Each structure stands twice: as C-alpha cells, then as structure tokens.
C-alpha cells in the first residue's frame, strides 16, 4: 500500500537537505528518487542491450554456428542459477539500496568481458560473470521499483520498466553508431560501461534505503523451501513473456540477417522496432490497466505476442516481419510491470522476497529461451524455432484467465 508518512525522508534519502517549505521539498525529493530509480533501470537495460546488439558480430568473429552460440549463451543463465540460491537473501539482509548500487557497478564492468574474448571458453566465462552479477542487479533494482512506487499514490511502476526498454532502444542506436564507425565490440562495451558508471555516480545518493521502509534484514530466503503458489504462477507467466523478450534481444538480428536477408544496417531494423514498441507500451501500461483492468490487458498481451511470432514465421519478408516484431514488443511490454507490481504487493511475502521469487523464475526465461532457440534452429530452422516460441503468448492468456488474482 502507498506510504503517506513522509517523516522517514531524511533516512531514505541520504544527505537530503529538507528546506523550510517541506511540501515542495518533499515533492522535489520524491521526483528525484523516481528519476534515480528510472535511471538505474535504464542502466541495467542498457548493459544487456549493448551486449545483445553485438551478438551477430561476436558470432561471426568467433565463427560460431547456431548450436555453438546457443551453447555459449547458456553461460548467462548458468551464472544466474549459481547466484539465485543466495541473491535474494543478500538483498533482504543488506538492503536493496546497497546491492542495487554495487550490483550495477559490477554488472557494467562485466559487460567488458565478452568483448575481451578471443576463444569460446573466454566468452563463456565472461557471460557467466555477466549473468551472475546481473541476477543481483535485477532483484535489487526491481525491489527498488516497488519501494519507489509505494511513495506515490498514482501508478508509476510501468514507467520504470519503460526506462529499461528505452535503454534497449538506446543500446541498439549506440550499436548502430559503433558499427558505422567500425568500432570493435570491446571498444563499444568500454564506452557503454563508462556511460552506466556515470549514471550510477550521479544518482546513487537518491536510491531508497529500503530497510527504513520494511524491516527485512532478518528474513530468510525461502524460495526453495515453500514458495508462495501465487508468486510461482506469476513467475511462470513472466517466464513466458521474458523468454519471448529474450529471444527478440538475442535472435532478432540473426533472424533478419539469415531469414529475411535484410541488407546492411537494416539487419537491426527488427530489433529496433521491437524495442520502440516495447518501450512505448510500457509507458502506456499504467493507463491501460486503469482503463481495462489487469486481466484483460494481460490476456490481450498474450494473444498479441503469439500473433507477432506467427506473422514473422508465415510472412518472412522485411515489412511484415518489422510489423510482427512491433506486435511482439507491444505484447510483452505490459506483462512484467503488471506481474511485478502484483507480486511486490503480496500480503503474505515481503517485497524483496516476492520480487526474488518472481524475477528468478521469469528471468530464467529471458536467459534460457535464447540458447534453446539455437538448438531448435540447428535441428530444424530458425523459422520453426520462432513458431514454437509463439506458444508462450497463448500460454500467458490461458494462465491469466484461470487465475483468480487478476481482475
């Protein structure tokens, strides 16, 4: 529930100077907190988008087949799996503020490692560490999003995920710019690391001290003992959405290059339009929920996701596929913000633990989906692999229609 007692502002806003006009100062600092949280989401998304934008180049440089690339991409979810058993407990014990800051710094640094790789095993190690610290960053930053939402009476959490998506679009644009100047993936990744480091440096002071709002430092992480069933189902729904999203990140460029045969810079067209559509949809998410309700929006989103994938499979041409990838982007845009907000306000489980459960399950889809596509594509083709993924959207609609928690 929203927090109306703002007496804790001096605690959660480090070094904040409360002016004589408390009301104006309060709103000013709250807006600054919202901006800082949005930029942390942006930085997290920018790191991953930067890596995704250069996957085709790294695939070509290391001369990897679809199956080999799929195998190496498994290093990312494996890194997350290793971190998963204790990352939630660490966030709850030390507070999401500290872990969000430290995790974001390490995540940005680890982005450079894939650019340094000259062999398969070096790329695998770099991706493992990228996934490992990405897990901490993901849980802590999403927990910050829920806490920041609690400071406002109006829905704003969709805009945080919109910032993540906007970062993907910016990452794609930077990728095009780096290609235009013939910069290597390593040079590109170093520039991105510097950008994210500056974002952290100018905003870390305004990140919420979460333990001042909810005392979670003594709560044990119980995901592997007895997870809340509602949170597990929420995680499964997000798994389907984020698997579709992850496939767009990792394989949209390859699909346009190998299936659509898009010339030159148009290889990035599908990914770019997908990111524009997803970012726009997430900024509209709060409005749609207020007007139609969570259930209708989620069911429609699942149908739109499937429609996009099957359009791309049935009409493998530049314009239809561009439109199809836009449909997928709009479809996945609403799922994660809505589900994370529902999970974060679960009355039976503290916010950071609830976010840990849902994000741990869902982010596996984001990371495991793309490697699986490589294996399926190797056995059949990339078109058939996309057709299989289209089922995820229908599964989202079915699950949402069966669960009573959505209205």
């Amino acid at each position: 529930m929203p927090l109306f007692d703002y007496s804790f502002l001096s605690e959660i806003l480090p070094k904040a100077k409360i002016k004589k006009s408390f009301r104006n100062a309060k709103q000013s600092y709250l807006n600054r907190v919202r901006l800082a949280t949005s930029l942390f989401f942006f930085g997290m998304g920018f790191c991953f988008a930067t890596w995704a934008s250069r996957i085709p180049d790294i695939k070509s440089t290391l001369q990897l087949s679809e199956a080999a690339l799929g195998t190496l991409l498994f290093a990312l979810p494996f890194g997350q799996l290793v971190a998963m058993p204790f990352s939630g407990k660490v966030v709850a014990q030390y507070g999401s503020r500290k872990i969000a800051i430290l995790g974001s710094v390490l995540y940005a640094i680890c982005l450079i490692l894939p650019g340094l790789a000259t062999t398969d095993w070096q790329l695998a190690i770099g991706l493992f560490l990228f996934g490992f610290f990405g897990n901490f960053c993901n849980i802590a930053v999403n927990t910050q999003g829920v806490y920041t939402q609690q400071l406002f009476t109006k829905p704003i959490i969709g805009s945080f995920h919109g910032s993540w998506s906007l970062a993907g679009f910016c990452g794609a644009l930077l990728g095009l710019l780096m290609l235009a100047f013939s910069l290597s993936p390593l040079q590109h990744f170093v520039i991105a690391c510097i950008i994210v480091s500056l974002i952290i440096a100018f905003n870390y002071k305004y990140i919420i001290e979460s333990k001042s709002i909810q005392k979670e430092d003594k709560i044990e992480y119980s995901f592997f003992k007895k997870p809340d069933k509602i949170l597990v189902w929420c995680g499964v729904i997000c798994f389907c959405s984020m698997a579709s999203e992850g496939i767009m990140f990792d394989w949209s460029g390859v699909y346009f290059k190998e299936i659509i045969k898009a010339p030159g810079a148009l290889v990035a067209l599908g990914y770019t339009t997908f990111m524009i559509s997803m970012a726009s949809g997430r900024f509209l998410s709060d409005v749609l929920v207020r007007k139609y309700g969570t259930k209708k929006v989620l069911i429609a989103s699942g149908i739109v996701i499937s429609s996009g994938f099957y359009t791309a499979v049935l009409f493998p041409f530049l314009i239809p596929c561009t439109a199809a990838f836009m449909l997928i982007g709009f479809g996945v845009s609403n799922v994660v913000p809505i589900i994370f907000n529902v999970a974060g306000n679960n009355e039976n489980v503290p916010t950071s633990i609830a976010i840990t459960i849902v994000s741990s399950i869902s982010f596996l889809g984001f990371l495991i989906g793309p490697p699986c596509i490589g294996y399926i594509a190797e056995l059949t083709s990339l078109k058939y692999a996309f057709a299989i993924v289209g089922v995820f959207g229908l599964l989202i609609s079915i699950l949402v229609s069966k669960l009573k928690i959505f209205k």
Side-chain angles (χ1 to χ4, degrees):
M1 296 182 63
L3 301 178
F4 295 100
D5 180 10
Y6 294 98
S7 61
F8 54 82
L9 276 173
S10 59
E11 297 180 32
I12 68 171
L13 304 177
K15 299 181 180 180
K17 297 179 179 179
I18 306 301
K19 300 179 180 179
K20 293 181 180 180
S21 179
F22 182 75
R23 179 177 298 178
N24 292 336
K26 177 190 68 178
Q27 191 58 49
S28 176
Y29 282 119
L30 288 180
N31 290 336
R32 188 63 182 85
V33 168
R34 179 181 179 180
L35 176 61
T37 303
S38 297
L39 288 172
F40 264 72
F41 270 88
F42 183 92
M44 184 171 62
F46 191 75
C47 282
F48 192 87
T50 298
W51 147 249
S53 69
R54 299 308 292 262
I55 288 177
D57 296 288
I58 292 177
K59 179 178 181 290
S60 300
T61 300
L62 298 182
Q63 298 181 339
L64 302 172
S65 65
E66 276 80 4
L69 178 61
T71 300
L72 289 171
L73 289 177
F74 263 119
L76 260 170
F78 183 61
Q80 186 189 21
L81 282 171
V82 171
M84 190 185 302
F86 54 87
S87 59
K89 181 178 178 180
V90 169
V91 172
Q93 182 173 354
Y94 296 101
S96 58
R97 180 179 188 271
K98 292 179 181 178
I99 305 304
I101 296 169
L102 180 60
S104 296
V105 171
L106 294 175
Y107 192 44
I109 292 174
C110 288
L111 172 63
I112 298 174
L113 299 181
L116 292 169
T118 56
T119 62
D120 293 3
W121 67 267
Q122 290 176 347
L123 180 60
I125 292 174
L127 292 178
F128 171 85
L129 293 174
F130 193 54
F132 182 85
F133 291 110
N135 180 265
F136 286 92
C137 186
N138 176 57
I139 292 172
V141 172
N142 273 287
T143 301
Q144 282 289 312
V146 174
Y147 285 151
T148 305
Q149 169 66 83
Q150 291 175 349
L151 300 177
F152 291 80
T153 56
K154 64 178 181 179
I156 61 170
I157 198 165
S159 65
F160 296 144
H161 294 272
S163 297
W164 194 95
S165 301
L166 182 62
F169 174 61
C170 292
L173 288 181
L174 182 62
L176 290 175
L177 184 63
M178 297 297 102
L179 287 172
F181 284 97
S182 301
L183 294 182
S184 67
L186 176 59
Q187 293 170 315
H188 181 181
F189 294 164
V190 169
I191 292 172
C193 180
I194 293 172
I195 292 173
V196 174
S197 297
L198 290 174
I199 290 175
I200 297 170
F202 284 104
N203 292 278
Y204 78 94
K205 293 181 180 180
Y206 297 93
I207 294 299
I208 291 175
E209 190 69 62
S210 57
K211 288 194 294 184
S212 296
I213 297 177
Q214 288 184 307
K215 303 294 183 181
E216 299 183 359
D217 49 313
K218 295 183 179 180
I219 295 174
E220 294 294 327
Y221 178 47
S222 58
F223 173 69
F224 293 102
K225 295 179 181 179
K226 192 178 179 180
D228 184 276
K229 291 182 179 179
I230 295 299
L231 294 177
V232 172
W233 283 117
C234 285
V236 172
I237 293 171
C238 276
F239 177 97
C240 295
S241 176
M242 294 190 76
S244 303
E245 186 177 331
I247 287 162
M248 286 292 99
F249 268 101
D250 288 4
W251 290 99
S252 58
V254 177
Y255 195 88
F256 260 62
K257 184 176 182 179
E258 298 182 0
I259 303 299
I260 309 303
K261 307 295 183 183
L266 289 180
V267 168
L269 180 62
Y271 173 79
T272 303
T273 53
F274 164 78
M275 290 307 307
I276 292 174
S277 178
M278 185 169 67
S280 301
R282 282 183 170 166
F283 283 112
L284 292 172
S285 177
D286 296 325
V287 176
L288 293 175
V289 170
R290 284 199 302 269
K291 187 172 183 179
Y292 300 106
T294 58
K295 190 170 187 176
K296 289 182 179 179
V297 173
L298 287 173
I299 291 175
S301 296
I303 295 173
V304 170
I305 291 171
S306 292
S307 299
F309 275 109
Y310 291 126
T311 299
V313 171
L314 295 174
F315 304 98
F317 309 104
L318 185 65
I319 295 178
C321 271
T322 300
F325 282 18
M326 289 182 71
L327 283 176
I328 297 171
F330 190 78
V332 301
S333 67
N334 298 296
V335 179
V336 172
I338 293 173
I339 297 297
F340 273 39
N341 194 41
V342 170
N345 288 283
N346 187 295
E347 296 180 355
N348 302 318
V349 183
T351 301
S352 65
I353 301 299
I355 293 296
T356 298
I357 294 173
V358 175
S359 64
S360 295
I361 297 173
S362 61
F363 214 66
L364 284 176
F366 190 73
L367 298 175
I368 290 177
C372 290
I373 284 295
Y375 289 114
I376 297 173
E378 188 77 8
L379 294 173
T380 56
S381 73
L382 197 54
K383 284 177 61 178
Y384 290 114
F386 269 50
I388 293 174
V389 176
V391 176
F392 285 154
L394 297 176
L395 186 57
I396 290 172
S397 298
I398 293 171
L399 289 175
V400 171
S401 65
K402 298 295 182 181
L403 295 175
K404 297 181 180 180
I405 58 172
F406 302 108
K407 298 179 181 179

